[in-house]
Amino acid sequence: MSGVKEIREAIITTLPSETSIFGQPPKPGQTYVPRAHIKALQPEAYLVVGARGVGKSFWAAALNTAELREILGSSVSWLEKTEVRLGFAGEPNIDFYPNMDEFSSLQEKGYTPYEIWRAVVVRWATNALGKWEDVPTDKWPATTDWIRANPESFSKCMERLSAMFRENGRQGLLVFDALDRTSHKWESMDAIVKDLLRVVLWLKGFPAIHAKVFLREDQYGRTVTNFPDASKLLATRAELTWQPHDLHGLLWQLLCNAPGNHGELLREVYAKICGKEPRQNAEVWSLTDEAKKEGPIQKKLFEALAGQWMGRDRRRGVPYVWSVSHLADCRGQTSPRSFLAAVRTAAENSLEKYPEHEYALHYESIKRGVQEASKIRIDEMAEDYPWVEALCKPLAGLNVPCEFTEICDRWENIPFPQDNQDSLPPPHAKLGAKGYVEDLKNLGVVETMRDGRINMPDLYRVGFGLGRKGGVKPVRRD
Amino acid sequence: MTTFDDILPEIGKVLAQENLAKLRPIIINRDLNGRIRLILKESTWKAMNKTAQTKLVKEVSACLGKHKYAPDRLLLSDSDFEAVKQDLMLFETELEPVKQGAPHFLLKDFLPEHFKNLKNLKEVTVVDRLVTETDWSTIAPLTNGPHRMVFFSIKGGVGRSTALAAATWSLAQAGKRVLVLDLDLESPGLSSALLPKDRRPLFGVTDWLVEDLVDNGDAVFGDMFAASELSNESDILVVPAHGLDPKEYLVKLGRAWMPKIDDKGAHEAWSARLRRLLDKLEAKHHPDVILIDSRAGIDEAASACVTELGAKTIFLFAIDGDQTWTGYDILFQHWRRTGKADSIRDRLQMVGAMIPDDEHAKDYFDGLCEEAYKVFCCLYDDIPAKDASGIEFNFEKNDLDAPHYPWPVRWNRGFAALQSLHSRFQDIDDDAFRAVFGELTKRIHIIVDSESES
């Protein structure tokens, strides 16, 4: 059918082939804001929790970049009147905040993280006010000493800062991201994060001054919120999760903003289902609300690409749901990167293997795409949690579900991830094998069944080279 | 003391010996009383030397304990050899005909994977002679006619018949012409849900099965169904287990399961007779879909319903309990061992019966799903860690579209007792109905609708 081949080519060209548009500054057409994420951007959300790949660093970058904030502008109008400053981030900026070595050095000298973070705050304040008394801003120990010695002056400084913002009808926002780069030891990182949250709580006391801390789930899961009044932060926390309809919305956002002829073709497909073309604003096309929600329109959109059923037997599911659910981890969460990768691979596979098929994406291609996405998801995971790969690679060849002891046997001869590597080890490493399983569970990589056996979803199983148990052995059929 | 289940592994050890390679093919025949004999080809036996023959007779004899002919005859000396050999072995020129008509499977498929020298047991077949005509491993091919759906459960009292009635009503409301067959002859009751007393037909399935034995089926065929007026949108035709007055039901039942032997000596198994009845009903009433209430439990009547009527969909009702899982495991292991897994497995669908509708619901359901997954694994293809073909029939535990993933039927007091069902169904509260049966009926519609389109 004419059009189908072109649709496939359009999808292949448009969707990212290598792992990441994430991490690089996002282009306007690729900026998709799920409703749940808008909540994360509101001033009252001091704590934002999310796994990698769901845009944590993206959002921190977006908050700090004027052009991007302009795009988000209508959703988050308050941002226009906000001065944003990074209190910590992946990129080094030694004047604004200490790096890992500096943190370590300061802690060795006896400074607590609480004091260090307040030093970060005071540097911002003096910068914004132009000057405040004689706060030293050249070396961190000096700034931190000043904090220790001048609590009252510091308070006054913050009050002045707050007043200044208010007079100008503006507000200030300190953003903290990539906190896993503050230390490679859990004990010190816990202290660093916990004290940061206490500082943030203290900042709440100043009107017109806000803070936003982005945490990974594993950081959040520890005892960092174990201090008085932490509930005030927890109550308004936001979680950056992608619901299935958000993933589909993202997909169509990217497709509708494809360059040149590809974009025209895909917008035509969109228009046929939605009744009209997407809204255009400068160079950017945006979807109707209907196309961003779970509902018949979104379903029909994916049907236009992949058909109604995952095979001749209608009991085996609908592509709209199947493509997302089979990319889910044990917590039922699917990452945008895996989903887009799966769709792209499906288009490639259909182009090659099913040229005559009436839909752009053949269901067998979707299955193939989901399998390929496993490798991508594993890479994604490895960027933030290298220990996951270290623990799971030795499991290759096992069949799941399997006994806990089978896994322990595989781990017998490998060096357990230690503290002195280049990144944080598993949070519960001290508990040994049980601890590792616990940590893998928390990341959704494995689950424990009621009978005690360990199970791994296909999302990880395929890439890590494990099989899945079945009673019917392959050679039997002769 | 050797018991029935010990025998095959023991014989396996003996027959797996290297020097017996030329003796194959071999049949291990298990008769009606559980006595074992080997059936061998005359030619291969004669090719063995006397020492090897004697050794084999001794070793096999030792495996069988009391499960042999003349168990008290011992091989004490050479003169006993012929007699003992005859107790133990039969000889045929060809072995294939021996297998016909009786359930059989390969010994190597039965024994565990790690069994020593398993590869030496190629061409060793176990043949069972059974009283019952059916054995759960004759899987009839799908029929070409309207979709036949069987409702089965291991335990009774799980709401199977109620769910069937609900599905019937729902399909009729959607304009489908539905034929309902109550094959739970030992525990009939479906018709009470769908027919008030003044609409019960004169005869039922049992009557036809009895009359058919003397070629008199036509005398009752026209009066063994009734139309339910439950739905205004379309016709529901009900064929009950027995008529308005069951009369001598017990003795009729005793004959219902008989095979038919005609005057020429041709033999028609009970299940084939049932299939014939179904075909006749289809031809007369032209339904769009046929729903069949099976007998609960693992017995020949249930077996015929599940495997021998060419049903495209077989609903397996389950509540989370040992009895249920043991029962399904027995069944599935049998299908796997007899090589029938791939013929039957894509017709199966687990249904979660009486799912609680309170705060325990999720927990209960997760437990049910996990047990269902475990028992179904037996029928799934093994996916090797390397070189998977990609077309293996296997599903993840939480895969909504898996045959093991239970379609929920929620517990509801109002629908619990079948007697009151008819009046209850009359004034059906749409919301209550949907809450209990909504998911099941929605998915049944999807299955049935897909056929009208193709």
Side-chain angles (χ1 to χ4, degrees):
Chain A
M1 260 192 156
S2 79
V4 169
K5 178 164 177 289
E6 285 75 22
I7 293 178
R8 290 173 185 155
E9 284 165 355
I11 293 176
I12 296 169
T13 324
T14 312
L15 294 184
S17 68
E18 271 318 298
T19 48
S20 206
I21 51 169
F22 304 95
Q24 272 141 42
K27 303 202 199 81
Q30 294 160 348
T31 307
Y32 183 78
V33 190
R35 209 172 291 226
H37 296 208
I38 295 179
K39 253 178 47 175
L41 299 177
Q42 299 303 342
E44 54 274 6
Y46 278 71
L47 199 51
V48 180
V49 184
R52 177 64 155 88
V54 297
K56 209 166 35 54
S57 301
F58 170 87
W59 289 124
L63 284 170
N64 203 28
T65 320
E67 298 90 358
L68 285 170
R69 275 156 49 198
E70 222 180 274
I71 300 164
L72 300 172
S74 52
S75 340
V76 279
S77 47
W78 68 281
L79 278 178
E80 284 163 37
K81 305 194 198 70
T82 311
E83 309 263 336
V84 179
R85 163 115 162 183
L86 286 175
F88 195 86
E91 266 117 48
N93 195 332
I94 197 72
D95 288 330
F96 285 26
Y97 43 84
N99 60 17
M100 190 185 309
D101 291 334
E102 190 63 37
F103 245 108
S104 184
S105 160
L106 287 166
Q107 284 178 291
E108 269 161 38
K109 291 196 174 94
Y111 298 104
T112 65
Y114 187 74
E115 294 164 335
I116 302 171
W117 287 121
R118 276 153 65 92
V120 169
V121 174
V122 85
R123 286 217 186 174
W124 173 44
T126 49
N127 188 277
L129 290 169
K131 187 179 166 39
W132 180 266
E133 297 192 2
D134 52 353
V135 178
T137 57
D138 53 338
K139 289 214 182 317
W140 284 102
T143 316
T144 321
D145 279 333
W146 186 92
I147 289 287
R148 262 189 187 166
N150 302 279
E152 215 183 304
S153 175
F154 182 30
S155 276
K156 287 214 177 89
C157 169
M158 295 306 295
E159 280 165 24
R160 185 73 206 89
L161 180 67
S162 176
M164 180 197 83
F165 281 130
R166 259 216 301 217
E167 279 152 31
N168 299 333
R170 299 179 68 74
Q171 40 203 353
L173 174 66
L174 255 184
V175 176
F176 302 86
D177 182 31
L179 289 164
D180 51 295
R181 310 262 176 110
T182 54
S183 168
H184 282 155
K185 292 196 165 73
W186 278 105
E187 289 81 9
S188 60
M189 223 210 48
D190 286 347
I192 290 171
V193 172
K194 189 179 199 165
D195 278 359
L196 172 59
L197 294 181
R198 288 171 56 212
V199 169
V200 163
L201 194 58
W202 166 76
L203 278 178
K204 250 170 97 75
F206 300 98
I209 295 185
H210 301 284
K212 208 171 275 298
V213 179
F214 288 88
L215 285 183
R216 276 179 357 194
E217 309 151 297
D218 58 339
Q219 295 168 312
Y220 173 68
R222 295 174 69 84
T223 54
V224 294
T225 48
N226 203 357
F227 57 87
D229 287 339
S231 52
K232 292 191 180 143
L233 293 179
L234 294 174
T236 55
R237 80 177 177 285
E239 277 157 33
L240 295 179
T241 50
W242 286 79
Q243 298 302 313
H245 58 266
D246 296 322
L247 296 169
H248 283 282
L250 169 66
L251 174 68
W252 282 100
Q253 174 81 15
L254 293 179
L255 294 180
C256 287
N257 281 280
N261 290 341
H262 297 308
E264 271 173 39
L265 174 61
L266 292 166
R267 285 192 292 273
E268 246 177 67
V269 175
Y270 172 94
K272 236 193 233 142
I273 306 291
C274 296
K276 53 184 193 291
E277 290 242 327
R279 252 184 346 231
Q280 188 180 14
N281 185 354
E283 297 288 309
V284 176
W285 301 83
S286 13
L287 311 178
T288 71
D289 284 343
E290 282 304 310
K292 297 195 209 173
K293 281 202 303 221
E294 182 178 6
I297 294 287
Q298 248 200 8
K299 218 170 162 234
K300 287 206 180 79
L301 280 169
F302 205 70
E303 270 174 31
L305 297 179
Q308 268 194 305
W309 308 104
M310 276 306 290
R312 272 180 309 266
D313 185 350
R314 296 189 179 187
R315 281 194 295 156
R316 301 305 169 216
V318 304
Y320 173 71
V321 173
W322 200 98
S323 53
V324 174
S325 63
H326 280 71
L327 286 169
D329 65 14
C330 289
R331 301 162 304 179
Q333 290 173 24
T334 301
S335 86
R337 222 150 96 172
S338 344
F339 179 62
L340 296 177
V343 173
R344 187 177 188 281
T345 305
E348 280 178 328
N349 186 268
S350 288
L351 186 66
E352 190 193 319
K353 293 242 156 69
Y354 304 101
E356 300 306 314
H357 190 63
E358 61 175 315
Y359 290 107
L361 307 176
H362 192 284
Y363 49 83
E364 292 296 336
S365 302
I366 296 178
K367 289 183 190 171
R368 190 36 165 278
V370 159
Q371 297 228 317
E372 291 292 314
S374 172
K375 302 193 190 90
I376 290 182
R377 178 69 190 129
I378 289 177
D379 288 340
E380 208 182 358
M381 180 63 93
E383 285 160 16
D384 273 339
Y385 308 99
W387 56 265
V388 169
E389 219 177 351
L391 285 179
C392 290
K393 269 210 168 118
L395 303 181
L398 281 179
N399 282 340
V400 287
C402 64
E403 301 292 338
F404 176 62
T405 46
E406 289 177 69
I407 294 192
C408 289
D409 288 341
R410 292 296 183 105
W411 284 343
E412 196 118 316
N413 297 319
I414 58 155
F416 279 139
Q418 294 299 328
D419 268 318
N420 55 9
Q421 277 179 0
D422 293 326
S423 57
L424 288 166
H428 293 92
K430 293 215 161 47
L431 298 176
K434 278 212 161 74
Y436 296 132
V437 170
E438 191 58 36
D439 291 332
L440 287 171
K441 264 166 70 171
N442 289 337
L443 291 181
V445 177
V446 298
E447 62 170 347
T448 315
M449 292 178 38
R450 279 152 199 246
D451 60 6
R453 289 186 300 165
I454 311 288
N455 195 19
M456 186 184 281
D458 275 4
L459 177 67
Y460 296 110
R461 179 188 69 77
V462 175
F464 283 129
L466 284 80
R468 200 159 66 216
K469 283 208 172 118
V472 180
K473 309 293 175 209
V475 285
R476 261 177 43 90
R477 318 305 185 81
D478 40 57
Chain B
M1 187 66 25
T2 312
T3 59
F4 186 80
D5 289 304
D6 295 328
I7 292 172
L8 287 183
E10 288 303 313
I11 294 196
K13 279 195 207 139
V14 171
L15 296 180
Q17 294 174 85
E18 298 288 345
N19 62 315
L20 296 175
K22 298 218 182 67
L23 198 56
R24 297 182 207 117
I26 299 173
I27 289 181
I28 301 171
N29 193 67
R30 304 197 288 195
D31 79 355
L32 282 186
N33 290 309
R35 294 204 170 94
I36 315 276
R37 254 185 175 139
L38 294 187
I39 305 182
L40 305 167
K41 277 178 100 158
E42 189 114 45
S43 47
T44 55
W45 175 255
K46 290 217 164 92
M48 274 177 86
N49 66 51
K50 189 72 192 296
T51 322
Q53 287 181 352
T54 314
K55 180 164 179 284
L56 182 66
V57 167
K58 260 198 176 133
E59 286 175 353
V60 172
S61 204
C63 294
L64 299 181
K66 292 253 195 164
H67 288 267
K68 54 180 182 270
Y69 296 90
D72 299 324
R73 199 195 326 264
L74 301 170
L75 185 56
L76 294 173
S77 69
D78 273 347
S79 50
D80 300 320
F81 179 75
E82 269 309 308
V84 172
K85 184 194 84 176
Q86 273 178 32
D87 293 332
L88 208 53
M89 292 170 184
L90 291 176
F91 300 94
E92 301 284 344
T93 34
E94 284 302 322
L95 294 190
E96 276 311 306
V98 178
K99 298 185 205 163
Q100 302 291 359
H104 57 274
F105 55 90
L106 291 173
L107 183 61
K108 77 168 176 45
D109 291 338
F110 170 85
L111 296 170
E113 284 208 331
H114 54 261
F115 196 86
K116 207 160 165 228
N117 293 328
L118 196 60
K119 55 179 169 38
N120 290 347
L121 290 173
K122 279 201 282 245
E123 297 187 286
V124 177
T125 311
V126 181
V127 174
D128 276 309
R129 310 287 164 189
L130 299 171
V131 171
T132 59
E133 297 277 317
T134 57
D135 70 296
W136 286 100
S137 57
T138 312
I139 317 265
L142 298 177
T143 57
N144 285 327
H147 195 125
R148 293 180 183 178
M149 281 185 189
V150 171
F151 287 61
F152 173 79
S153 62
I154 300 286
K155 279 174 73 72
V158 297
R160 191 188 73 239
S161 306
T162 315
L164 189 155
T168 304
W169 180 75
S170 178
L171 285 166
Q173 288 293 93
K176 300 280 185 254
R177 193 172 155 80
V178 187
L179 176 66
V180 175
L181 208 59
D182 186 356
L183 292 184
D184 193 357
L185 304 187
E186 277 75 6
S187 216
L190 181 59
S191 41
S192 359
L194 298 167
L195 298 173
K197 270 220 159 70
D198 61 354
R199 279 185 171 259
R200 307 272 169 85
L202 275 179
F203 301 108
V205 174
T206 312
D207 298 296
W208 186 90
L209 285 171
V210 168
E211 295 303 325
D212 178 62
L213 288 173
V214 296
D215 284 323
N216 196 31
D218 287 341
V220 303
F221 185 71
D223 291 302
M224 59 188 283
F225 74 96
S228 163
E229 88 296 15
L230 253 182
S231 170
N232 291 324
E233 302 303 319
S234 183
D235 300 316
I236 298 174
L237 298 162
V238 184
V239 178
H242 60 70
L244 181 59
D245 181 353
K247 300 208 178 117
E248 284 194 89
Y249 194 64
L250 277 185
V251 298
K252 284 192 284 192
L253 205 51
R255 293 169 171 94
W257 307 127
M258 290 287 291
K260 187 170 172 187
I261 316 233
D262 71 11
D263 40 13
K264 301 192 201 75
H267 175 282
E268 192 188 13
W270 164 80
S271 52
R273 299 204 293 131
L274 194 58
R275 229 176 9 249
R276 192 162 37 84
L277 171 62
L278 215 59
D279 291 342
K280 278 172 70 100
L281 286 168
E282 254 180 41
K284 179 178 169 85
H285 296 292
H286 305 292
D288 295 317
V289 61
I290 303 177
L291 304 190
I292 299 165
D293 199 10
S294 163
R295 175 157 160 64
I298 315 175
D299 76 345
E300 65 243 42
S303 161
C305 291
V306 171
T307 64
E308 299 199 45
L309 299 181
K312 208 161 173 190
T313 306
I314 299 159
F315 290 119
L316 304 177
F317 279 65
I319 53 174
D320 191 8
D322 280 344
Q323 190 182 348
T324 302
W325 305 122
T326 307
Y328 283 124
D329 193 52
I330 288 173
L331 206 49
F332 291 1
Q333 293 291 352
H334 182 79
W335 280 329
R336 182 186 63 79
R337 268 202 302 273
T338 54
K340 299 295 196 284
D342 53 359
S343 332
I344 192 95
R345 63 192 176 186
D346 59 3
R347 307 189 202 179
L348 305 174
Q349 178 59 51
M350 193 112 264
V351 175
M354 304 197 303
I355 309 264
D357 205 6
D358 54 19
E359 69 272 11
H360 299 302
K362 181 171 191 316
D363 215 40
Y364 176 82
F365 185 85
D366 287 344
L368 186 76
C369 185
E370 184 170 309
E371 291 297 330
Y373 171 68
K374 277 159 66 169
V375 91
F376 259 87
C377 269
C378 158
L379 296 177
Y380 288 159
D381 287 332
D382 198 59
I383 301 185
K386 269 205 276 199
D387 303 325
S389 70
I391 50 169
E392 286 91 359
F393 189 90
N394 191 322
F395 298 83
E396 291 196 76
K397 180 175 78 108
N398 292 325
D399 191 338
L400 298 164
D401 307 309
H404 70 259
Y405 195 89
W407 293 2
V409 173
R410 299 185 199 288
W411 188 83
N412 178 289
R413 197 197 327 234
F415 287 110
L418 200 56
Q419 289 109 311
S420 57
L421 217 46
H422 179 258
S423 38
R424 188 98 172 77
F425 266 42
Q426 287 271 244
D427 352 275
I428 288 166
D429 176 329
D430 272 351
D431 286 340
F433 185 89
R434 241 195 316 270
V436 176
F437 301 111
E439 288 189 59
L440 176 68
T441 51
K442 182 173 87 162
R443 291 161 115 154
I444 289 180
H445 282 286
I446 289 179
I447 298 177
V448 173
D449 288 341
S450 68
E451 283 159 355
S452 21
E453 282 166 37
S454 49

